Amino acid sequence: MCVFLCIDAAVCIQCQEDQWSNERRDSCVPRSIEFLSYGEPLGATLASISTVLSLLNIVILGIFCKYRDTAIIKANNRDLSYLLLVSLMLCFLCSYMFIGRPMKWTCMFRKMAFGLLFSFSVSCILAKTIIVIVAFNATNPTSQWRNWTGPRAPFYIVFCCFTVQLIICAIWVLTKTPHYGINTSISKKLIIQCFDGSVALFYCMLGYMGLLACVSFIVAFFARKLPDSFNEAKYITFSLLVFVSVWVSFIPAYLSTDGKYMVAVEVFAILASNSGLMACIFFPKVNIILLRPECNTKSYLLNKKHIKDKIK
């Protein structure tokens, strides 16, 4: 944006790109530099929340490792739970890439990092839900579902779902690489920000993540009432409802802001949706493990199932 400094009625001098004319239009003054920094309250608050949630995630992972041989953890696919917890922790940590002065490498990888990590997390959730359905339908010895109950089946599901997002991000970085730049369109400010390179590929990445979440929600919704004491589909259903709600709200909020507030909206969406997944899926299990250990036995859960079957 060109700004002219008028010394008198006959002579006008154009200010440099990093400057703006003062109110009296008789001198050029430097523009203020804007980005979401750790030194301001908004950036510091988001970074602190990310740190606390990451530590909480590590604590939950430690609890799951310590009680790995208990009934509730073994019944809900222990290995997938570990993978999901690690991916959620990395999602919390990737929010640091959005805070601070943008640089070449952070601009190139930050949105792809959160897209890949979230897609991996949702793929793990989808795999967990599908395995619940398969396990229930494979109780009959002659059922063809038994071919899908092997220990590698959930990892095939995760790999296939994650690979699609990986291909999208690879095309993005190879064709329209996100880059660092300065936005001078707002008066009196120099906004240091990351440009997406390709808006279409960004929304393609976001759309695929949403598709995975919607498919996982639908599968979990139909599996939530399966007669299984170990069934965690109802918790997954609620967690994905929170996840989808956050990201549906994110799009209009993201489009209606600019500068550092646009970045803050992204970080908030990452933290809120990630927290919803962690809380809804893992807090009920942690509650049983730590506060109700008498419920964390195979005999108790099987007896509970037997009583429910009698009532029906």
Side-chain angles (χ1 to χ4, degrees):
M1 181 182 293
C2 296
V3 181
F4 290 92
L5 170 66
C6 297
I7 299 175
D8 52 46
V11 180
C12 287
I13 302 173
Q14 183 177 348
C15 292
Q16 297 180 13
E17 193 177 47
D18 61 345
Q19 295 180 333
W20 197 263
S21 63
N22 62 1
E23 293 181 358
R24 293 184 300 175
R25 301 267 178 175
D26 59 3
S27 65
C28 292
V29 294
R31 298 192 192 204
S32 61
I33 298 176
E34 181 180 282
F35 58 89
L36 185 63
S37 68
Y38 289 100
E40 61 181 299
L42 181 59
T45 300
L46 291 173
S48 300
I49 294 173
S50 178
T51 301
V52 171
L53 293 174
S54 300
L55 293 175
L56 180 59
N57 189 281
I58 292 172
V59 170
I60 294 173
L61 180 59
I63 292 171
F64 268 59
C65 291
K66 182 177 179 180
Y67 296 94
R68 61 186 178 276
D69 294 323
T70 57
I72 195 167
I73 294 179
K74 291 171 70 175
N76 289 302
N77 203 310
R78 179 171 54 191
D79 294 335
L80 274 181
S81 296
Y82 292 158
L83 282 178
L84 180 56
L85 281 168
V86 171
S87 62
L88 291 177
M89 181 184 65
L90 293 176
C91 286
F92 284 128
L93 294 177
C94 85
S95 62
Y96 289 117
M97 299 176 69
F98 291 81
I99 307 172
R101 190 184 184 99
M103 295 181 289
K104 182 179 179 180
W105 71 272
T106 56
C107 288
M108 185 180 298
F109 294 114
R110 69 185 191 181
K111 286 187 178 178
M112 294 181 191
F114 101 81
L116 289 171
L117 289 170
F118 268 109
S119 296
F120 188 85
S121 299
V122 178
S123 297
C124 290
I125 293 172
L126 178 60
K128 285 169 74 72
T129 312
I130 291 176
I131 292 304
V132 169
I133 296 174
V134 170
F136 174 75
N137 286 281
T139 53
N140 189 338
T142 61
S143 174
Q144 293 183 352
W145 288 95
R146 295 180 67 86
N147 298 327
W148 295 90
T149 57
R152 296 183 180 180
F155 300 105
Y156 290 146
I157 297 171
V158 174
F159 176 78
C160 293
C161 295
F162 176 73
T163 301
V164 176
Q165 188 72 286
L166 186 63
I167 292 171
I168 294 172
C169 290
I171 294 172
W172 189 6
V173 76
L174 293 174
T175 57
K176 298 286 186 178
T177 308
H179 59 279
Y180 156 92
I182 298 176
N183 185 353
T184 60
S185 62
I186 299 179
S187 62
K188 301 181 181 181
K189 291 182 180 179
L190 287 176
I191 301 176
I192 303 176
Q193 67 180 65
C194 296
F195 295 94
D196 292 333
S198 173
V199 177
L201 285 171
F202 168 66
Y203 283 108
C204 187
M205 179 198 74
L206 206 62
Y208 178 72
M209 189 174 72
L211 177 63
L212 276 180
C214 290
V215 171
S216 300
F217 173 78
I218 293 170
V219 174
F221 181 80
F222 286 109
R224 75 193 190 284
K225 290 186 177 180
L226 289 178
D228 186 354
S229 299
F230 303 110
N231 187 9
E232 61 177 342
K234 59 183 179 179
Y235 302 116
I236 291 175
T237 302
F238 190 70
S239 70
L240 289 170
L241 183 62
V242 174
F243 182 87
V244 172
S245 300
V246 169
W247 285 105
V248 168
S249 304
F250 160 78
I251 294 175
Y254 179 79
L255 295 176
S256 62
T257 55
D258 52 40
K260 64 182 180 181
Y261 298 105
M262 180 182 287
V263 180
V265 168
E266 291 181 275
V267 176
F268 177 79
I270 291 171
L271 297 179
S273 57
N274 218 34
S275 301
L277 294 178
M278 181 178 68
C280 296
I281 295 175
F282 293 104
F283 281 11
K285 297 181 182 66
V286 172
N287 175 60
I288 291 175
I289 292 170
L290 298 181
L291 302 180
R292 301 171 61 194
E294 70 280 1
C295 302
N296 191 16
T297 61
K298 185 176 180 179
S299 59
Y300 173 86
L301 293 174
L302 290 175
N303 185 55
K304 182 180 176 182
K305 179 177 181 290
H306 180 67
I307 293 173
K308 285 183 177 180
D309 292 340
K310 278 189 173 182
I311 294 174
K312 290 179 181 180

